[in-house]
């Protein structure tokens, strides 16, 4: 016994002391790691919401409904139930809007780098420290982004921020309209055009500008034989048909607003940096954050820049500083890895969808799609096959004059061609919504086409 | 030795084992505490920024300049240096703007409850799940808040959100103007009035409305002898003079827009819940978050609500969802402890400032302030002494016709009375900026008044 004790106790003590040392090291290590202080409860709350996965067919939000302490799932179209797992096979595919949710999975995969913590006293003032309503850090980052992607020349350009490009459309029209003329500026666009040009310009009915419809009505020198000012909206690539359009009017009284919302490698090859006098961009179609309402204008002329800045001030006192903070964070993620990550994700998604849609409709004689030719892209440094944001579907049969009704009968809601200044033999199908929306649309289209046989 | 060993080893072992158990418990405890996952880096970044205290005379921001990895302090007026500790005693007090920074310390004290974590995929869509652009949770919370404070009746009212009340002012004018009449609505306000009514209405020059200036010009039945529509802006309490004003025009063609930005216990006793047909509110003057650009309208008539909603959609596609999320969080903090905490902080601050200013000017024969009578407040359930947002200073001497220049010479920048439709014997001094701004203004005013002797 005595002999055994002589060994057991010292050996046990030695082991125990070593264990103590190990625990001290572990404890110090764990305890010295950074732990959140005041941000903890907000972080915990957000992570709890993010942990609600909604079966991959929906998502919960921090500002959504909470029932019995649990955030409620908001399901994709055609999915339901508490966890969005119930699929309604006969449900209608709603591909009417340009909701850019195809990028949602990208941001879920980049949760850590894209999260923003806003402290309670963040930017309470009306102005930044330089007395403007524009974050200079964001201004700088936007210029870097355009240089990286090579889609716009920002040298010598002024930047105006807006609540999406929506607010900037009218700010630009307002700024380009003459304010000393008795005749209002004629606002025009080439058919098919984005419906907001008409609806917005008509809604903000002014003594200084008036929507006049189709730009081609004023071609053939009629713009130079008049004192009227013309303001031409040019969307490029075009919404709805994806064409790399250019202004059709020329003359000393003609001004163009280049809406370049879709001029990103997601949707089009980038042949060269755009260099127009007035260009509009928006994160809605770049990062997919339509809800944040953030866009910008690149403006060459100082007086136009100043007029647009006054518009922003009179209209809303600038853009929400919270949106500007978020845009800053999101654009930093966009620029990670020289932008390859997001643009490869997005262009692959859009290209896959276009290929599947094309394959489905290639056997159809009743329906056709717009043609888009592959082109060299300076960003990817290769020829890129089409990846447009929208399908501009045409019903080819004479009896199918109401194309939206024809596809509606087969369970697909698109947007009527008449809204684009065109006619109802056309319908726009959005390809940028969720994967569920796209899959259900394709399912219904396949059924529709198979009936032709 | 043997005897000693017999005691030392077992006792040592026992102690060491107990220590081990303690460490295991501590380690498990520390390790099982909630730790941030994807939100960690954003939280760490924000807390590092918040830790930069800038000597209490400035603050650093997450979207501010960073030099050598350190967030740069943005100092209050008259303070400088890397940590804002250098005071410039001869510097000018800028109390021109209505920047509501007096509430900044409140939010710094409530860092934990007011922080917001926005995940990368938060509300990317154009709409909430009910297809509107308005958060229903925020709509509900705003109604609860008005019920708690007792400053507005929301029963049966519709709510429209805007980018601050600024955007809602013109949305309301637009909605109340007749669109089938050849004559534009006459937009008026009683002098002294908030300058934006004039500058905004004139800037958005429309065929449907026109700014006509002083409301009192149209009193005495001239409103009922004409087919013209009148739209009267009423700010109550009034900016600049804090009076609880009412509309002065009456008649079947008269419509009023009640701007109730300052109708909170910070600035005025609340005699009763407001019950006007169209009322505007904004967080700028409630929580002090002018930079977030968030306001709301309470609207009685359905057609006015619908017209304003269309305006919001055409103008900006609604208000930033990021601002809505932040407003939701901030208003939750406002409602903590039945609102006593923020309203006691704010009304005490404003009341103290008014008292100090009054004391300074009470000995002056050259300068006078507006008179505000104490009144019973239903929120505090007691008579409240004045706590207005602005001083409406009058230069009493005939030779001091240019009052802004007189005080400017003494190192104070105020806003010229002419901007309010009044004359330059008046100047508005903002009392809602930082404590530094107020203190420096008071210092210069004391010097100015002491010269009178």
């Amino acid at each position: 016994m005595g002999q055994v004790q002589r060994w057991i106790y010292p050996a046990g003590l030695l082991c125990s002391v070593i264990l103590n040392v190990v625990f001290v090291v572990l404890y110090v290590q764990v305890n010295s790691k950074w732990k959140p202080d005041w941000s903890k409860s907000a972080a915990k709350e957000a992570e709890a919401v993010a942990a609600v996965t909604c079966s991959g067919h929906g998502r919960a939000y921090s500002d959504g409904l909470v029932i019995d302490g649990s955030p409620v799932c908001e399901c994709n179209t055609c999915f339901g139930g508490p966890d969005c797992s119930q699929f309604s096979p006969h449900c209608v595919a709603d591909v009417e809007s340009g909701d850019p949710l195809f990028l949602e999975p990208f941001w879920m995969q980049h949760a850590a780098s894209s999260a923003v913590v806003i402290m309670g006293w963040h930017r309470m003032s009306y102005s930044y420290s330089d007395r403007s309503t524009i974050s200079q850090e964001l201004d700088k980052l936007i210029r870097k982004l355009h240089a990286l992607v090579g889609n716009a020349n920002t040298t010598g350009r002024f930047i105006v921020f807006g609540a999406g490009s929506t607010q900037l459309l009218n700010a630009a029209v307002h700024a380009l309209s003459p304010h000393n003329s008795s005749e209002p500026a004629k606002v025009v666009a080439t058919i098919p055009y984005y419906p907001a040009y008409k609806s917005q310009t008509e809604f903000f009915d002014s003594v200084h500008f008036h929507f006049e419809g189709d730009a081609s009505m004023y071609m053939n020198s009629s713009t130079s034989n008049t004192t009227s000012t013309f303001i031409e909206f040019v969307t490029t690539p075009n919404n709805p048909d994806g064409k790399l359009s250019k202004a059709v009017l020329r003359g000393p009284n003609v001004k163009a607003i280049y809406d370049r919302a879709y001029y990103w490698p997601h949707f089009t090859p980038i042949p060269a940096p755009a260099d127009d006098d007035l260009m509009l961009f928006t994160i809605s179609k770049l990062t997919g954050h339509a809800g944040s309402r953030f866009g910008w204008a690149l403006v060459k002329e100082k007086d136009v820049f100043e007029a647009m800045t006054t518009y922003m001030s009179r209209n809303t006192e600038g853009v929400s500083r919270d949106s500007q903070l978020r845009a800053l964070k999101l654009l930093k993620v966009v620029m990670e890895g020289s932008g390859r990550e997001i643009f490869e994700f997005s262009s692959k998604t859009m290209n896959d969808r276009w290929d599947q849609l094309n394959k489905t409709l290639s056997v159809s004689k009743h329906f056709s799609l717009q043609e888009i030719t592959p082109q060299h892209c300076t960003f990817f440094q290769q020829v890129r096959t089409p990846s447009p944001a929208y399908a501009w579907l045409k019903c080819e049969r004479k009896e199918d004059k109401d194309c939206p009704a024809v596809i509606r009968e087969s369970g697909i809601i698109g947007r009527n061609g008449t809204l684009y200044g065109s006619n109802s033999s056309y319908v726009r199908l959005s390809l940028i919504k969720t994967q569920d929306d796209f899959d259900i649309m394709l399912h219904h289209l396949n059924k529709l086409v198979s009936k032709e046989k």
Side-chain angles (χ1 to χ4, degrees), chain A residues 363 366 446 448-453:
Chain A
V363 295
H366 299 179
N446 269 311
L448 180 64
V449 170
S450 67
K451 277 189 209 155
E452 287 182 28
K453 296 163 193 166

Side-chain angles (χ1 to χ4, degrees), chain A residues 59 61 76 97-107 284 287-290 345 353 430-435 437:
Chain A
R59 76 295 297 155
Y61 293 114
N76 292 344
S97 88
D99 236 354
L101 290 172
F102 76 103
L103 280 157
E104 202 181 55
F106 178 84
W107 297 106
S284 299
T287 69
H289 292 80
F345 173 92
R353 291 186 182 182
S430 173
L431 308 179
I432 59 178
K433 294 187 78 184
T434 65
Q435 192 61 40
D437 287 318

Side-chain angles (χ1 to χ4, degrees), chain A residues 274-401:
Chain A
D275 201 33
D276 322 300
D277 287 0
L278 206 169
M279 302 181 262
L280 305 182
F281 291 90
T282 168
I283 62 165
S284 299
K285 300 301 184 289
L286 164 59
T287 69
H289 292 80
S292 290
R293 314 306 309 126
F294 182 78
W296 63 94
L298 300 180
V299 186
K300 203 172 195 174
E301 303 296 337
K302 197 179 179 196
D303 56 339
V304 176
F305 160 71
E306 281 168 356
M308 287 181 75
T309 301
T310 306
Y311 186 103
M312 292 308 306
S313 162
R314 295 281 182 276
N315 189 185
T316 56
E317 298 275 6
V319 174
S320 163
R321 316 318 174 233
D322 308 330
S323 299
Q324 294 193 42
L325 172 63
R326 193 152 185 232
L328 186 75
K329 189 75 174 221
L330 296 169
L331 295 187
K332 279 180 185 166
V333 180
V334 167
M335 294 186 66
E336 275 171 16
S338 300
R340 303 297 290 202
E341 213 173 337
I342 188 166
F343 293 122
E344 270 166 15
F345 173 92
S346 60
S347 62
K348 187 182 178 315
T349 306
M350 295 313 299
N351 186 238
D352 284 354
R353 291 186 182 182
W354 180 252
D355 284 350
Q356 288 179 66
L357 180 67
N358 241 305
K359 200 177 153 199
T360 295
L361 292 176
S362 62
V363 295
S364 169
K365 283 180 178 164
H366 299 179
F367 305 100
S368 69
L369 289 174
Q370 77 264 41
E371 275 191 27
I372 303 174
T373 43
Q375 207 172 336
H376 184 264
C377 174
T378 52
F379 178 75
F380 286 119
Q381 299 188 298
Q382 57 179 232
V383 173
R384 300 294 289 188
T385 47
S387 55
Y390 305 107
W392 187 232
L393 187 81
K394 190 180 180 191
C395 282
E396 294 286 353
R397 295 196 304 174
K398 275 187 187 159
E399 60 266 44
D400 292 344
K401 269 178 192 156

Side-chain angles (χ1 to χ4, degrees), chain A residues 194-254:
Chain A
Y194 174 47
Y197 302 148
K198 181 178 195 288
S199 62
Q200 189 191 61
T201 309
E202 289 182 346
F203 188 82
F204 294 112
D205 205 3
S206 156
V207 287
H208 305 305
F209 52 80
H210 194 255
F211 190 74
E212 297 281 343
D214 192 9
S216 65
M217 300 270 290
Y218 296 93
M219 285 171 74
N220 306 324
S221 87
S222 66
T223 56
S224 37
N225 298 337
T226 153
T227 56
S228 302
T229 297
F230 285 83
I231 299 173
E232 183 181 356
F233 273 116
V234 187
T235 325
T236 181
N238 194 33
N239 172 4
D241 61 14
K243 296 235 155 64
L244 284 171
S245 336
K246 283 183 180 167
V248 298
L249 302 187
R250 292 277 175 279
N253 304 329
V254 177

